[in-house]
Amino acid sequence: MEFEIPKMSAALPEMFVLGMACLILVIDLFLTDKNRIITYLLAQATLVGAAIASLGYQFGSPEIAFNGSFIRDAMGDTLKVFIYLSVFVVFLYSRSYLQARNLFRGEFFVLGLFGVLGMMIMVSAHSLLTLYLGLELLSLSMYALVAMNRDSSYSSEAAMKYFVLGALASGMLLYGMSMLYGVTGSLELSQISAGVATAGAGNMVLVFGLVFTVVGLAFKLGAVPFHMWVPDVYHGSPTAVTVYIGSAPKIAAFAMVMRLLVDGLEGLQEHWQGMLVILAILSLALGNITAIAQTNIKRMLAYSTIAHVGYLLLGVLSGSDSGYASAMFYTIVYALMSLGGFGMIMLLSRTGFEADRLDDFKGLNERSPWFAFMMLILMFSMAGVPVFLGFWAKLSVLSAVVEAEMVWLAAVAVVFSIIGAFYYLRVVKLMYFDKPEDNTPIDSEFDVRVMLSANSLAILVLGLFPGALMSLCVNAFAL
Amino acid sequence: MNFEQLLFYLFAAALLGSALMVITLRNPVHAALSLVLTFFSGAALWLLLEAEFLAITLVLVYVGAVMVLFLFVVMMLDINLAQLREGFVKLLPVGVVVALLVIGMMVYVVGPGNFGLEKFAEPVGHSADYSNTKELGRVLYTVYVYPFEIAAVILLVAIIAAISLALRKRPQGKRQDPDLQIAVRKKDRLRIVANNPKGQPGSNAGDKK
């Protein structure tokens, strides 16, 4: 049997994160609660180090390593850097939140880093096997994180639902993958792509496998009708975990969709396009309409996630490089907005009080004009008001759909986007035109305030100059 | 029908029958034991496919370890069967329709029309000195080293997750502290009281401390 030693250096960031996560796990054992902060600092240093390692590759030509299991290319590198960035911000927001709730434990950061490793593996996967294993690594870390607050029955319920439905989705995905393997005879995505070309798009087993694969992907993305877990999990988890789940894993899920449907099964585009159209329309409709009825802002943002997944799918289903780039742009922008939105909940929360009801945002302008303005930026951006970053994301996705000659679909998306604007603007109305329910001064750490301001201002500034981020996404598909 | 085919149909029937029993039996212990039989039949089928290593691993790991643990859990938990069966009759028609549809579709797609011998030639058998285990080990540590390492990390995360969720200090929990147990001295546990046969009053006062 032929075997050559794989080019290990391609996976340097992965190895670095794995090594550091194991190291932090051991170091954390010897720390007392008083100097637990070292775990936090080491975790942040790991993310910075991984970012340096990944940036070192930028603009290199794609390379496939480990006998076809692994690929690093421009899309992967770009997405990985944004994953590190999101998780860095998540950890920063979470520190004081967790300390105030007696949840500041090493496991949060260790599991968070293992989750990052899972996302990196998904982003760089070039075979069905690594894709699946990366997904399981990420999911397993997330199940444990959701259940982290053992004293809350909401958390336990959310973790249980997430675990059972996640296992079901994995089963679907695996069954679909087994069909793809059965027809093409390979786990490697480029060979599957070649196998699809020989078998032809009409091959029934391939389409059968594709259906199961798309169902599995939709579960993980949280697209309607496979969305039932999203609101409960977002609501039940500690907000520090919600912000983790709501940001970086969406980037990884986008990468998984791209790897499977585009790298592997682009030959079946005529089939998956129709499936994604249905998923996208249902997600847009249900997400935007149900969000209106919510009184809990975590649940509202969960339904808004579902709607955003719909827009993301619009970009993918247009099936062109510009469409993929717009979907990637949308995913990154959504991750940034989601970080800010849940970060704001953590900022307003304090010991023994969770600011997760819409009423808690009443009269924020009187309590803190600055942070009311930051929330205004976030809400306007999520609603897609022009000039803010979210507007450009929606615009690029919609123009990709129009280019693919599905003007009716773009029209449907615009209608639901207008419906969705209602609940985002309602938050703005509550902040500026209602009387506050309690006047307790906002008590939060300096670093959280600075980061949240930077996060929101970034959305404003990038919205004024969206070209740089967009060209980054376009370049990812230029090769 | 040759002997091999007879064995295949025998074990396949046993597998399907016992799998059906897993979900229909009323007693959870019996269901778990049926699952053991399912695994055995599966292992036998793998043996027929010349996948000896997988067959043995299935028996060792699933039958030997996982199912025994599972039986322990089933016996220790007080499962309310009436609650579990609630709504069974109401949901049965929907379930049956969905199951039949899926089965029909699977038979249609995965059947001989698409995976028959004319589509996929019968794999060539190996000679008697061919070691399945050795070949698996070879590819596992060379070609599949990357997925193999990831699988190891997943197991590590499972351990961390399980411990971090299960290990917590309960205020009224009773636990042993080996350090204290070893450091114990005779005088900590045993007090020698002077015996007073004369029965003077107050001599037993020390006992009541």
Side-chain angles (χ1 to χ4, degrees):
Chain A
M1 159 156 279
E2 286 176 56
F3 172 70
E4 52 182 291
I5 299 291
K7 195 183 168 210
M8 302 274 185
S9 65
L12 185 67
E14 278 85 356
M15 289 191 249
F16 177 71
V17 171
L18 172 61
M20 285 299 286
C22 293
L23 190 71
I24 292 171
L25 184 66
V26 175
I27 290 177
D28 184 64
L29 277 181
F30 295 96
L31 295 176
T32 55
D33 279 342
K34 216 185 293 170
N35 45 23
R36 186 81 61 208
I37 195 84
I38 296 173
T39 310
Y40 162 75
L41 292 174
L42 278 174
Q44 294 292 50
T46 308
L47 292 169
V48 174
I52 294 170
S54 279
L55 284 172
Y57 291 131
Q58 273 292 8
F59 309 115
S61 56
E63 41 181 343
I64 292 175
F66 295 104
N67 295 74
S69 301
F70 178 92
I71 184 172
R72 60 141 294 277
D73 53 5
M75 181 189 94
D77 290 337
T78 316
L79 289 178
K80 275 184 206 170
V81 171
F82 280 101
I83 288 173
Y84 309 139
L85 181 71
S86 318
V87 177
F88 184 88
V89 176
V90 169
F91 283 174
L92 200 144
Y93 287 158
S94 310
R95 186 183 56 84
S96 54
Y97 178 89
L98 293 172
Q99 277 171 335
R101 277 158 194 75
N102 226 351
L103 289 172
F104 192 67
R105 294 198 295 256
E107 287 88 13
F108 176 79
F109 299 103
V110 171
L111 287 172
L113 284 180
F114 277 118
V116 170
L117 181 64
M119 293 184 232
M120 293 162 75
I121 291 166
M122 282 161 77
V123 166
S124 279
H126 195 250
S127 85
L128 297 181
L129 197 55
T130 33
L131 201 60
Y132 174 71
L133 287 172
L135 176 67
E136 283 303 290
L137 182 54
L138 170 65
S139 308
L140 205 56
S141 311
M142 291 203 295
Y143 303 145
L145 283 174
V146 172
M148 199 176 65
N149 189 5
R150 285 289 310 274
D151 299 326
S152 153
S153 58
Y154 281 117
S155 290
S156 308
E157 184 194 330
M160 207 56 218
K161 272 186 184 156
Y162 195 18
F163 181 70
V164 172
L165 288 177
L168 192 69
S170 295
M172 295 276 184
L173 193 63
L174 274 183
Y175 192 69
M177 285 178 172
S178 74
M179 290 292 142
L180 302 180
Y181 177 71
V183 176
T184 60
S186 173
L187 290 170
E188 208 180 309
L189 289 175
S190 52
Q191 287 183 23
I192 288 176
S193 175
V196 169
T198 12
N203 186 308
M204 195 171 45
V205 184
L206 275 180
V207 178
F208 187 68
L210 175 73
V211 173
F212 280 91
T213 315
V214 169
V215 168
L217 289 176
F219 248 116
K220 298 294 174 186
L221 273 170
V224 181
F226 309 104
H227 65 287
M228 309 76 119
W229 58 274
V230 180
D232 288 336
V233 170
Y234 277 43
H235 183 198
S237 324
T239 311
V241 177
T242 311
V243 65
Y244 181 90
I245 294 176
S247 55
K250 294 289 171 226
I251 303 181
F254 164 74
M256 183 166 75
V257 171
M258 290 302 296
R259 294 287 182 217
L260 258 178
L261 294 188
V262 179
D263 286 5
L265 301 173
E266 197 158 28
L268 297 177
Q269 199 216 337
E270 51 178 300
H271 296 293
W272 56 251
Q273 189 173 45
M275 301 179 201
L276 294 192
V277 167
I278 297 170
L279 289 176
I281 293 178
L282 288 177
S283 305
L284 287 171
L286 190 130
N288 279 322
I289 293 172
T290 320
I292 294 173
Q294 304 306 316
T295 52
N296 181 300
I297 192 158
K298 275 162 91 176
R299 283 191 96 82
M300 189 194 96
L301 287 177
Y303 281 105
S304 117
T305 302
I306 295 171
H308 285 294
V309 165
Y311 290 108
L312 189 166
L313 290 175
L314 287 183
V316 178
L317 66 85
S318 61
S320 59
D321 276 355
S322 63
Y324 304 146
S326 69
M328 181 172 163
F329 183 67
Y330 200 98
T331 315
I332 293 170
V333 169
Y334 173 69
L336 285 178
M337 297 190 300
S338 164
L339 283 173
F342 289 110
M344 194 58 84
I345 300 174
M346 295 208 268
L347 178 97
L348 296 182
S349 302
R350 54 179 180 271
T351 314
F353 173 73
E354 192 76 26
D356 62 354
R357 292 174 311 138
L358 277 176
D359 290 347
D360 296 326
F361 280 78
K362 271 186 184 170
L364 186 61
N365 187 39
E366 281 176 33
R367 292 167 64 197
S368 163
W370 175 251
F371 284 112
F373 178 59
M374 292 297 119
M375 191 65 178
L376 173 106
I377 295 177
L378 290 167
M379 287 297 126
F380 274 9
S381 178
M382 283 197 192
V385 174
V387 183
F388 296 97
L389 194 52
F391 167 72
W392 299 109
K394 280 204 172 66
L395 185 70
S396 68
V397 169
L398 290 178
S399 63
V401 173
V402 172
E403 262 173 51
E405 292 173 351
M406 286 187 281
V407 181
W408 64 273
L409 189 55
V412 170
V414 169
V415 169
F416 283 117
S417 156
I418 293 167
I419 295 174
F422 169 77
Y423 60 90
Y424 295 122
L425 296 182
R426 183 173 58 186
V427 176
V428 174
K429 178 237 167 202
L430 287 176
M431 289 191 306
Y432 281 90
F433 300 105
D434 282 19
K435 288 270 161 256
E437 283 194 344
D438 73 323
N439 276 312
T440 326
I442 294 168
D443 160 40
S444 66
E445 304 269 333
F446 178 70
D447 54 351
V448 177
R449 287 165 180 261
V450 172
M451 195 59 195
L452 195 58
S453 307
N455 188 337
S456 303
L457 289 177
I459 287 168
L460 181 63
V461 173
L462 285 174
L464 295 173
F465 309 100
L469 189 57
M470 192 66 212
S471 64
L472 208 61
C473 298
V474 172
N475 284 337
F477 295 97
L479 291 168
Chain B
M1 195 194 283
N2 60 22
F3 182 59
E4 207 177 318
Q5 276 172 325
L6 182 76
L7 279 182
F8 171 79
Y9 284 115
L10 203 69
F11 283 117
L15 190 143
L16 289 179
S18 56
L20 204 65
M21 265 158 40
V22 174
I23 53 171
T24 49
L25 283 181
R26 284 177 168 265
N27 187 331
V29 177
H30 293 175
L33 288 173
S34 310
L35 195 56
V36 171
L37 183 60
T38 313
F39 285 139
F40 262 118
S41 320
L45 288 181
W46 275 349
L47 267 182
L48 289 175
L49 287 170
E50 298 188 11
E52 304 91 17
F53 181 75
L54 285 181
I56 293 167
T57 320
L58 186 70
V59 172
L60 281 183
V61 176
Y62 275 88
V63 177
V66 176
M67 286 316 296
V68 171
L69 269 180
F70 201 84
L71 271 178
F72 267 120
V73 174
V74 168
M75 288 181 190
M76 281 191 191
L77 288 181
D78 180 26
I79 302 171
N80 187 351
L81 291 172
Q83 204 180 1
L84 281 179
R85 260 195 282 278
E86 224 168 70
F88 180 76
V89 178
K90 207 173 71 185
L91 297 174
L92 190 65
V94 185
V96 167
V97 168
V98 171
L100 284 181
L101 269 177
V102 173
I103 291 174
M105 208 162 59
M106 274 157 73
V107 170
Y108 182 56
V109 173
V110 191
N114 288 312
F115 286 99
L117 274 180
E118 64 274 14
K119 300 259 176 178
F120 291 88
E122 192 183 352
V124 197
H126 293 288
S127 58
D129 60 344
Y130 177 84
S131 166
N132 203 297
T133 316
K134 201 170 159 187
E135 285 307 309
L136 266 179
R138 202 199 299 275
V139 290
L140 210 52
Y141 291 103
T142 53
V143 179
Y144 292 107
V145 67
Y146 182 63
F148 182 71
E149 292 296 328
I150 302 170
V153 178
I154 292 180
L155 290 180
L156 177 65
V157 169
I159 296 172
I160 299 170
I163 292 178
S164 75
L165 292 182
L167 180 76
R168 51 178 193 154
K169 292 198 176 71
R170 291 189 178 82
Q172 70 277 52
K174 299 198 190 318
R175 52 170 66 227
Q176 289 183 318
D177 190 338
D179 266 6
L180 287 178
Q181 288 180 323
I182 291 169
V184 82
R185 300 259 186 103
K186 189 174 83 176
K187 69 172 175 21
D188 298 336
R189 297 279 166 89
L190 183 73
R191 193 159 43 77
I192 296 171
V193 188
N195 199 354
N196 195 348
K198 303 241 170 74
Q200 285 174 0
S203 63
N204 285 339
D207 293 345
K208 286 179 190 156
K209 248 191 237 168

